[in-house]
Amino acid sequence: CYSAWARIYCGGRGVLFSPTVLITMLYKCHPPESGQVKEPLIHLWLMTSPATDKVTRTFLESNDYFGLLPSQVHVCVQATYPATTPQGKLILSSKSTIARAPNGNGGLYEAIDRAGAFEMFEESGVETVFAFAVDNVLVKVADPVFIGYFLDKGAECGAKVVEKRDPEERVGLLCKRDGKPAVVEYSEISSEDAHARAEDGSLKYNAGNICIHAYSVEFLKRARNKLDIMPLHIAKRKVQSLDQDGTPQALDAWKYELFIFDIFPLANSMVGLQVLREEEFSPLKNKEGKDSPETCVVHVSALHRKWIEANGGKIEACDKDGSVLCEISPLVSYGGEGLEAVVEGKSFQSPVYLSG
């Protein structure tokens, strides 16, 4: 994966969503037979930027890797590219330094290669890689259903998708382009195609990519020597710069990024698995409003409340508007299983937190 964690806040209480804890829970659900393996079955690779690398490593160490062994967790740093003005001129971040920016989530492949991932895959017998984005607080890390489907189909590459909400939703679409698997960005599709309908009335192009992927290691080995096919994408951002007098200023700039899905056309076979948005996709992108900590809390609470009620429990709302704050630790349940003994016949008062 190339993710670490996201922190959200629920009623003033810190709530840590951690893929490392989800991996720990997977071991409880599917423990290896005694003496069958010498190393952990699941390794976690985290891609950082130069700005976040030190704090990420320190955070993991100070929290004892959330139950994983240090040998299971690998941190790699993505490359950076120079930022430019829209006219193509380099920008100075100081009198002696060119402004640079991380090269996007597509920098994952080069970053893990440089950090020795393929040697580790070989030594540990890793055959499948599961990748997910840092900002999705509902991601099911190393989802056995998705990986099982991917392996059953014998595919080289796989992606989870959700049904697009409406024609204008700003999400890339999993599709075929020139006969090859690809993701078409929302900005690249015509208005006519975006609004096109199938015979049943649904959107014709509706497979929204949510950046949850699976790869065979053999595919990644082959693809790592062909990464030059990945195009550069322009992100328009403000960067800190110096004016002609050396005074700091925020400057309109172009940052150059690689996208993780631009490797898809190299795959000889690919599968997509459509999942329910309310169960597996809630991105944390903005400080407030849409896709913010507030919406993430709402989505986590709704899903976990559903789990409790499906297992015979009940939650009483404490707010006048009937809203409920609810979280179930991954140490209690990975995806809603095993809760009957914990919640059946019980009534809970919001806010609810079931810890391991």
Side-chain angles (χ1 to χ4, degrees):
C1 76
Y2 65 95
S3 170
W5 55 83
R7 183 181 291 274
I8 60 177
Y9 291 90
C10 178
R13 175 177 56 83
V15 180
L16 182 66
F17 171 85
S18 176
T20 52
V21 179
L22 284 168
I23 291 174
T24 300
M25 188 60 190
L26 276 177
Y27 282 115
K28 291 185 177 181
C29 293
H30 306 284
E33 296 180 11
S34 177
Q36 190 176 36
V37 294
K38 296 182 179 179
E39 289 192 353
L41 293 175
I42 303 173
H43 288 260
L44 180 66
W45 281 81
L46 310 175
M47 186 175 75
T48 64
S49 70
T52 62
D53 185 64
K54 183 177 180 180
V55 67
T56 300
R57 295 175 189 270
T58 300
F59 184 79
L60 287 168
E61 292 171 1
S62 64
N63 286 277
D64 296 325
Y65 298 92
F66 296 95
L68 299 183
L69 298 174
S71 60
Q72 279 178 270
V73 182
H74 314 266
V75 182
C76 59
V77 186
Q78 71 184 120
T80 60
Y81 293 157
T84 72
T85 66
Q87 295 74 34
K89 295 182 178 180
L90 294 174
I91 298 171
L92 291 179
S93 58
S94 72
K95 292 182 179 180
S96 60
T97 307
I98 293 174
R100 303 179 69 90
N103 66 344
N105 57 20
L108 168 72
Y109 307 112
E110 186 270 338
I112 63 172
D113 191 359
R114 189 177 63 248
F118 289 97
E119 290 77 10
M120 188 281 291
F121 294 160
E122 183 71 26
E123 294 173 0
S124 302
V126 174
E127 298 179 352
T128 305
V129 172
F130 176 96
F132 61 101
V134 66
D135 59 6
N136 182 5
V137 300
L138 293 184
V139 64
K140 298 177 72 173
V141 179
D143 179 12
V145 173
F146 177 47
I147 293 176
Y149 174 71
F150 168 77
L151 294 175
D152 182 64
K153 296 299 182 181
E156 291 188 333
C157 194
K160 282 189 178 184
V161 299
V162 296
E163 185 174 4
K164 196 175 177 181
R165 274 194 301 246
D166 57 72
E168 303 301 326
E169 184 178 10
R170 296 160 67 92
V171 61
L173 297 173
L174 183 66
C175 59
K176 279 189 174 182
R177 181 162 52 189
D178 298 328
K180 296 181 179 180
V183 169
V184 175
E185 278 289 76
Y186 61 87
S187 58
E188 298 174 331
I189 189 171
S190 68
S191 177
E192 180 182 358
D193 284 338
H195 288 81
R197 298 283 175 173
E199 292 183 359
D200 63 0
S202 63
L203 288 174
K204 184 177 181 180
Y205 304 106
N206 68 350
N209 181 52
I210 57 176
C211 209
I212 300 176
H213 305 149
Y215 312 93
S216 72
V217 168
E218 289 304 312
F219 166 66
L220 291 178
K221 285 180 179 179
R222 189 179 76 247
R224 66 173 170 165
N225 297 318
K226 302 178 181 179
L227 297 180
D228 56 353
I229 72 149
M230 298 176 69
L232 286 176
H233 300 265
I234 295 174
K236 299 177 182 180
R237 302 284 189 272
K238 293 280 189 180
V239 300
Q240 289 300 311
S241 179
L242 301 178
D243 63 16
Q244 293 182 347
D245 298 324
T247 303
Q249 64 175 349
L251 192 67
D252 290 328
W254 285 4
K255 296 182 179 181
Y256 301 90
E257 300 180 345
L258 301 170
F259 288 172
I260 191 170
F261 52 69
D262 281 331
I263 199 175
F264 290 175
L266 294 174
N268 293 322
S269 58
M270 183 169 181
V271 294
L273 179 65
Q274 184 171 309
V275 297
L276 295 176
R277 180 189 296 262
E278 61 269 25
E279 294 184 358
E280 300 201 34
F281 186 54
S282 180
L284 177 59
K285 295 181 179 293
N286 304 310
K287 183 178 181 180
E288 55 188 20
K290 182 181 178 182
D291 297 336
S292 66
E294 182 179 2
T295 60
C296 287
V297 168
V298 170
H299 296 155
V300 169
S301 294
L303 178 60
H304 290 192
R305 179 181 188 176
K306 178 180 177 181
W307 291 353
I308 288 175
E309 293 177 345
N311 284 275
K314 181 180 179 181
I315 299 179
E316 298 178 5
C318 64
D319 297 327
K320 293 181 179 179
D321 62 0
S323 62
V324 164
L325 293 177
C326 176
E327 185 195 11
I328 300 172
S329 167
L331 291 175
V332 176
S333 180
Y334 173 85
E337 78 294 326
L339 289 174
E340 188 173 351
V342 180
V343 305
E344 186 178 24
K346 297 181 181 179
S347 180
F348 301 89
Q349 185 75 41
S350 176
V352 179
Y353 179 60
L354 301 184
S355 60

PDB file of all heavy atoms in Angstrom, residues 7 95 97 101-102 105-106 145 161 170 195 218 227 241 247 266 282 284 300 304 307 310 315 330:
ATOM      1  N   ARG A   7      -6.445  10.831  10.689  1.00  0.00           N
ATOM      2  CA  ARG A   7      -6.963  11.087  12.036  1.00  0.00           C
ATOM      3  C   ARG A   7      -8.228  11.928  11.917  1.00  0.00           C
ATOM      4  O   ARG A   7      -8.244  12.956  11.238  1.00  0.00           O
ATOM      5  CB  ARG A   7      -5.933  11.828  12.875  1.00  0.00           C
ATOM      6  CG  ARG A   7      -6.395  12.053  14.311  1.00  0.00           C
ATOM      7  CD  ARG A   7      -5.351  12.817  15.097  1.00  0.00           C
ATOM      8  NE  ARG A   7      -4.163  12.032  15.331  1.00  0.00           N
ATOM      9  CZ  ARG A   7      -4.012  11.191  16.340  1.00  0.00           C
ATOM     10  NH1 ARG A   7      -4.999  10.982  17.180  1.00  0.00           N
ATOM     11  NH2 ARG A   7      -2.897  10.520  16.511  1.00  0.00           N
ATOM     12  N   LYS A  95      16.824  31.546  -1.828  1.00  0.00           N
ATOM     13  CA  LYS A  95      17.779  32.141  -2.753  1.00  0.00           C
ATOM     14  C   LYS A  95      18.671  31.098  -3.415  1.00  0.00           C
ATOM     15  O   LYS A  95      19.276  31.372  -4.451  1.00  0.00           O
ATOM     16  CB  LYS A  95      18.633  33.179  -2.025  1.00  0.00           C
ATOM     17  CG  LYS A  95      17.849  34.411  -1.591  1.00  0.00           C
ATOM     18  CD  LYS A  95      18.759  35.435  -0.926  1.00  0.00           C
ATOM     19  CE  LYS A  95      17.963  36.683  -0.528  1.00  0.00           C
ATOM     20  NZ  LYS A  95      18.825  37.698   0.113  1.00  0.00           N
ATOM     21  N   THR A  97      17.580  27.532  -3.565  1.00  0.00           N
ATOM     22  CA  THR A  97      16.856  26.266  -3.687  1.00  0.00           C
ATOM     23  C   THR A  97      15.700  26.384  -4.671  1.00  0.00           C
ATOM     24  O   THR A  97      14.908  27.338  -4.605  1.00  0.00           O
ATOM     25  CB  THR A  97      16.294  25.817  -2.323  1.00  0.00           C
ATOM     26  OG1 THR A  97      17.344  25.805  -1.359  1.00  0.00           O
ATOM     27  CG2 THR A  97      15.693  24.418  -2.427  1.00  0.00           C
ATOM     28  N   ALA A 101       8.092  19.563  -5.536  1.00  0.00           N
ATOM     29  CA  ALA A 101       6.874  19.008  -4.958  1.00  0.00           C
ATOM     30  C   ALA A 101       6.861  17.500  -5.158  1.00  0.00           C
ATOM     31  O   ALA A 101       7.445  16.987  -6.123  1.00  0.00           O
ATOM     32  CB  ALA A 101       5.648  19.642  -5.610  1.00  0.00           C
ATOM     33  N   PRO A 102       6.221  16.743  -4.252  1.00  0.00           N
ATOM     34  CA  PRO A 102       6.111  15.293  -4.418  1.00  0.00           C
ATOM     35  C   PRO A 102       5.495  14.941  -5.765  1.00  0.00           C
ATOM     36  O   PRO A 102       4.645  15.674  -6.280  1.00  0.00           O
ATOM     37  CB  PRO A 102       5.194  14.880  -3.259  1.00  0.00           C
ATOM     38  CG  PRO A 102       5.398  15.937  -2.226  1.00  0.00           C
ATOM     39  CD  PRO A 102       5.591  17.207  -3.000  1.00  0.00           C
ATOM     40  N   ASN A 105       0.791  10.158  -6.468  1.00  0.00           N
ATOM     41  CA  ASN A 105       0.692   8.778  -5.981  1.00  0.00           C
ATOM     42  C   ASN A 105       1.268   7.772  -6.965  1.00  0.00           C
ATOM     43  O   ASN A 105       1.605   6.646  -6.597  1.00  0.00           O
ATOM     44  CB  ASN A 105      -0.749   8.424  -5.605  1.00  0.00           C
ATOM     45  CG  ASN A 105      -1.737   8.608  -6.745  1.00  0.00           C
ATOM     46  OD1 ASN A 105      -1.365   8.654  -7.921  1.00  0.00           O
ATOM     47  ND2 ASN A 105      -3.020   8.701  -6.394  1.00  0.00           N
ATOM     48  N   GLY A 106       1.432   8.172  -8.238  1.00  0.00           N
ATOM     49  CA  GLY A 106       2.058   7.274  -9.198  1.00  0.00           C
ATOM     50  C   GLY A 106       3.548   7.108  -8.971  1.00  0.00           C
ATOM     51  O   GLY A 106       4.179   6.239  -9.581  1.00  0.00           O
ATOM     52  N   VAL A 145     -12.023 -10.616   0.403  1.00  0.00           N
ATOM     53  CA  VAL A 145     -12.979 -10.837  -0.687  1.00  0.00           C
ATOM     54  C   VAL A 145     -12.415 -10.302  -2.003  1.00  0.00           C
ATOM     55  O   VAL A 145     -12.442 -10.980  -3.039  1.00  0.00           O
ATOM     56  CB  VAL A 145     -14.327 -10.166  -0.368  1.00  0.00           C
ATOM     57  CG1 VAL A 145     -15.270 -10.254  -1.575  1.00  0.00           C
ATOM     58  CG2 VAL A 145     -14.978 -10.814   0.850  1.00  0.00           C
ATOM     59  N   VAL A 161     -14.320  -0.254  -7.464  1.00  0.00           N
ATOM     60  CA  VAL A 161     -15.020   0.929  -7.957  1.00  0.00           C
ATOM     61  C   VAL A 161     -16.333   1.085  -7.194  1.00  0.00           C
ATOM     62  O   VAL A 161     -16.836   0.132  -6.598  1.00  0.00           O
ATOM     63  CB  VAL A 161     -15.317   0.845  -9.474  1.00  0.00           C
ATOM     64  CG1 VAL A 161     -14.031   0.740 -10.267  1.00  0.00           C
ATOM     65  CG2 VAL A 161     -16.236  -0.339  -9.791  1.00  0.00           C
ATOM     66  N   ARG A 170     -16.798  14.458  -9.529  1.00  0.00           N
ATOM     67  CA  ARG A 170     -15.401  14.596  -9.940  1.00  0.00           C
ATOM     68  C   ARG A 170     -14.610  13.355  -9.518  1.00  0.00           C
ATOM     69  O   ARG A 170     -13.886  13.358  -8.521  1.00  0.00           O
ATOM     70  CB  ARG A 170     -14.809  15.858  -9.313  1.00  0.00           C
ATOM     71  CG  ARG A 170     -15.493  17.136  -9.808  1.00  0.00           C
ATOM     72  CD  ARG A 170     -15.270  18.316  -8.870  1.00  0.00           C
ATOM     73  NE  ARG A 170     -13.885  18.734  -8.844  1.00  0.00           N
ATOM     74  CZ  ARG A 170     -13.360  19.680  -9.630  1.00  0.00           C
ATOM     75  NH1 ARG A 170     -14.139  20.302 -10.515  1.00  0.00           N
ATOM     76  NH2 ARG A 170     -12.094  20.031  -9.539  1.00  0.00           N
ATOM     77  N   HIS A 195     -22.989  12.200 -19.393  1.00  0.00           N
ATOM     78  CA  HIS A 195     -24.431  12.127 -19.166  1.00  0.00           C
ATOM     79  C   HIS A 195     -25.100  10.951 -19.888  1.00  0.00           C
ATOM     80  O   HIS A 195     -26.309  10.749 -19.746  1.00  0.00           O
ATOM     81  CB  HIS A 195     -25.098  13.431 -19.611  1.00  0.00           C
ATOM     82  CG  HIS A 195     -24.827  14.588 -18.705  1.00  0.00           C
ATOM     83  ND1 HIS A 195     -23.652  15.332 -18.756  1.00  0.00           N
ATOM     84  CD2 HIS A 195     -25.575  15.137 -17.712  1.00  0.00           C
ATOM     85  CE1 HIS A 195     -23.698  16.285 -17.851  1.00  0.00           C
ATOM     86  NE2 HIS A 195     -24.837  16.194 -17.199  1.00  0.00           N
ATOM     87  N   GLU A 218       4.389 -10.392 -10.246  1.00  0.00           N
ATOM     88  CA  GLU A 218       4.986 -10.613 -11.562  1.00  0.00           C
ATOM     89  C   GLU A 218       4.652  -9.465 -12.517  1.00  0.00           C
ATOM     90  O   GLU A 218       5.494  -9.056 -13.325  1.00  0.00           O
ATOM     91  CB  GLU A 218       4.507 -11.950 -12.142  1.00  0.00           C
ATOM     92  CG  GLU A 218       5.091 -13.171 -11.433  1.00  0.00           C
ATOM     93  CD  GLU A 218       6.613 -13.157 -11.432  1.00  0.00           C
ATOM     94  OE1 GLU A 218       7.199 -12.918 -12.510  1.00  0.00           O
ATOM     95  OE2 GLU A 218       7.201 -13.375 -10.363  1.00  0.00           O
ATOM     96  N   LEU A 227       7.918   2.216 -16.867  1.00  0.00           N
ATOM     97  CA  LEU A 227       7.203   3.302 -16.215  1.00  0.00           C
ATOM     98  C   LEU A 227       7.257   4.604 -16.995  1.00  0.00           C
ATOM     99  O   LEU A 227       6.530   5.555 -16.681  1.00  0.00           O
ATOM    100  CB  LEU A 227       7.748   3.521 -14.796  1.00  0.00           C
ATOM    101  CG  LEU A 227       7.574   2.343 -13.826  1.00  0.00           C
ATOM    102  CD1 LEU A 227       8.152   2.702 -12.466  1.00  0.00           C
ATOM    103  CD2 LEU A 227       6.098   1.967 -13.695  1.00  0.00           C
ATOM    104  N   SER A 241       7.380  31.121  -2.653  1.00  0.00           N
ATOM    105  CA  SER A 241       8.481  31.524  -3.510  1.00  0.00           C
ATOM    106  C   SER A 241       9.050  32.850  -3.029  1.00  0.00           C
ATOM    107  O   SER A 241       8.635  33.391  -1.995  1.00  0.00           O
ATOM    108  CB  SER A 241       7.995  31.638  -4.958  1.00  0.00           C
ATOM    109  OG  SER A 241       9.049  32.049  -5.803  1.00  0.00           O
ATOM    110  N   THR A 247      11.594  38.767  -1.235  1.00  0.00           N
ATOM    111  CA  THR A 247      10.499  38.728  -0.259  1.00  0.00           C
ATOM    112  C   THR A 247       9.627  37.498  -0.498  1.00  0.00           C
ATOM    113  O   THR A 247       9.246  37.226  -1.639  1.00  0.00           O
ATOM    114  CB  THR A 247       9.632  39.997  -0.385  1.00  0.00           C
ATOM    115  OG1 THR A 247      10.467  41.155  -0.212  1.00  0.00           O
ATOM    116  CG2 THR A 247       8.531  39.998   0.657  1.00  0.00           C
ATOM    117  N   LEU A 266      -0.599  -1.345 -19.009  1.00  0.00           N
ATOM    118  CA  LEU A 266       0.442  -2.358 -19.171  1.00  0.00           C
ATOM    119  C   LEU A 266      -0.051  -3.762 -18.818  1.00  0.00           C
ATOM    120  O   LEU A 266       0.613  -4.750 -19.120  1.00  0.00           O
ATOM    121  CB  LEU A 266       1.652  -2.017 -18.299  1.00  0.00           C
ATOM    122  CG  LEU A 266       2.433  -0.751 -18.679  1.00  0.00           C
ATOM    123  CD1 LEU A 266       3.511  -0.475 -17.641  1.00  0.00           C
ATOM    124  CD2 LEU A 266       3.056  -0.910 -20.061  1.00  0.00           C
ATOM    125  N   SER A 282     -14.995   6.768   1.879  1.00  0.00           N
ATOM    126  CA  SER A 282     -15.237   8.078   2.485  1.00  0.00           C
ATOM    127  C   SER A 282     -13.899   8.803   2.560  1.00  0.00           C
ATOM    128  O   SER A 282     -13.136   8.631   3.510  1.00  0.00           O
ATOM    129  CB  SER A 282     -15.842   7.936   3.889  1.00  0.00           C
ATOM    130  OG  SER A 282     -16.069   9.217   4.459  1.00  0.00           O
ATOM    131  N   LEU A 284     -11.003  11.701   2.930  1.00  0.00           N
ATOM    132  CA  LEU A 284     -10.729  12.866   3.771  1.00  0.00           C
ATOM    133  C   LEU A 284      -9.813  13.794   2.976  1.00  0.00           C
ATOM    134  O   LEU A 284      -8.614  13.571   2.881  1.00  0.00           O
ATOM    135  CB  LEU A 284     -10.053  12.419   5.074  1.00  0.00           C
ATOM    136  CG  LEU A 284      -9.624  13.500   6.065  1.00  0.00           C
ATOM    137  CD1 LEU A 284     -10.820  14.329   6.493  1.00  0.00           C
ATOM    138  CD2 LEU A 284      -8.953  12.859   7.268  1.00  0.00           C
ATOM    139  N   VAL A 300     -18.402   6.901   9.061  1.00  0.00           N
ATOM    140  CA  VAL A 300     -17.941   5.832   9.949  1.00  0.00           C
ATOM    141  C   VAL A 300     -19.035   5.481  10.954  1.00  0.00           C
ATOM    142  O   VAL A 300     -19.330   4.304  11.204  1.00  0.00           O
ATOM    143  CB  VAL A 300     -16.645   6.247  10.681  1.00  0.00           C
ATOM    144  CG1 VAL A 300     -16.319   5.247  11.790  1.00  0.00           C
ATOM    145  CG2 VAL A 300     -15.479   6.326   9.703  1.00  0.00           C
ATOM    146  N   HIS A 304     -20.839   1.754  11.271  1.00  0.00           N
ATOM    147  CA  HIS A 304     -20.658   0.982  12.494  1.00  0.00           C
ATOM    148  C   HIS A 304     -21.974   0.829  13.262  1.00  0.00           C
ATOM    149  O   HIS A 304     -22.201  -0.189  13.929  1.00  0.00           O
ATOM    150  CB  HIS A 304     -19.573   1.622  13.347  1.00  0.00           C
ATOM    151  CG  HIS A 304     -18.204   1.480  12.751  1.00  0.00           C
ATOM    152  ND1 HIS A 304     -17.035   1.760  13.426  1.00  0.00           N
ATOM    153  CD2 HIS A 304     -17.816   1.071  11.517  1.00  0.00           C
ATOM    154  CE1 HIS A 304     -15.996   1.531  12.638  1.00  0.00           C
ATOM    155  NE2 HIS A 304     -16.457   1.127  11.473  1.00  0.00           N
ATOM    156  N   TRP A 307     -23.625  -2.079  11.684  1.00  0.00           N
ATOM    157  CA  TRP A 307     -23.071  -3.345  12.167  1.00  0.00           C
ATOM    158  C   TRP A 307     -23.683  -3.737  13.515  1.00  0.00           C
ATOM    159  O   TRP A 307     -24.029  -4.895  13.742  1.00  0.00           O
ATOM    160  CB  TRP A 307     -21.556  -3.228  12.324  1.00  0.00           C
ATOM    161  CG  TRP A 307     -20.798  -3.110  11.045  1.00  0.00           C
ATOM    162  CD1 TRP A 307     -21.278  -3.231   9.774  1.00  0.00           C
ATOM    163  CD2 TRP A 307     -19.401  -2.839  10.911  1.00  0.00           C
ATOM    164  NE1 TRP A 307     -20.271  -3.056   8.853  1.00  0.00           N
ATOM    165  CE2 TRP A 307     -19.109  -2.824   9.523  1.00  0.00           C
ATOM    166  CE3 TRP A 307     -18.362  -2.612  11.809  1.00  0.00           C
ATOM    167  CZ2 TRP A 307     -17.817  -2.588   9.030  1.00  0.00           C
ATOM    168  CZ3 TRP A 307     -17.077  -2.378  11.334  1.00  0.00           C
ATOM    169  CH2 TRP A 307     -16.816  -2.365   9.958  1.00  0.00           C
ATOM    170  N   ALA A 310     -27.320  -4.775  13.096  1.00  0.00           N
ATOM    171  CA  ALA A 310     -27.428  -6.049  12.388  1.00  0.00           C
ATOM    172  C   ALA A 310     -27.113  -7.228  13.293  1.00  0.00           C
ATOM    173  O   ALA A 310     -27.516  -8.367  13.017  1.00  0.00           O
ATOM    174  CB  ALA A 310     -26.489  -6.059  11.174  1.00  0.00           C
ATOM    175  N   ILE A 315     -28.720   1.548  19.441  1.00  0.00           N
ATOM    176  CA  ILE A 315     -28.049   2.776  19.859  1.00  0.00           C
ATOM    177  C   ILE A 315     -29.088   3.868  20.036  1.00  0.00           C
ATOM    178  O   ILE A 315     -29.900   4.115  19.145  1.00  0.00           O
ATOM    179  CB  ILE A 315     -26.991   3.233  18.833  1.00  0.00           C
ATOM    180  CG1 ILE A 315     -25.911   2.165  18.666  1.00  0.00           C
ATOM    181  CG2 ILE A 315     -26.366   4.551  19.264  1.00  0.00           C
ATOM    182  CD1 ILE A 315     -24.850   2.535  17.650  1.00  0.00           C
ATOM    183  N   PRO A 330     -11.053  -1.618  15.048  1.00  0.00           N
ATOM    184  CA  PRO A 330     -10.710  -2.772  14.202  1.00  0.00           C
ATOM    185  C   PRO A 330     -10.273  -3.985  15.015  1.00  0.00           C
ATOM    186  O   PRO A 330     -10.308  -5.104  14.518  1.00  0.00           O
ATOM    187  CB  PRO A 330      -9.564  -2.241  13.338  1.00  0.00           C
ATOM    188  CG  PRO A 330      -9.736  -0.764  13.336  1.00  0.00           C
ATOM    189  CD  PRO A 330     -10.278  -0.425  14.691  1.00  0.00           C
TER     190      PRO A 330
END
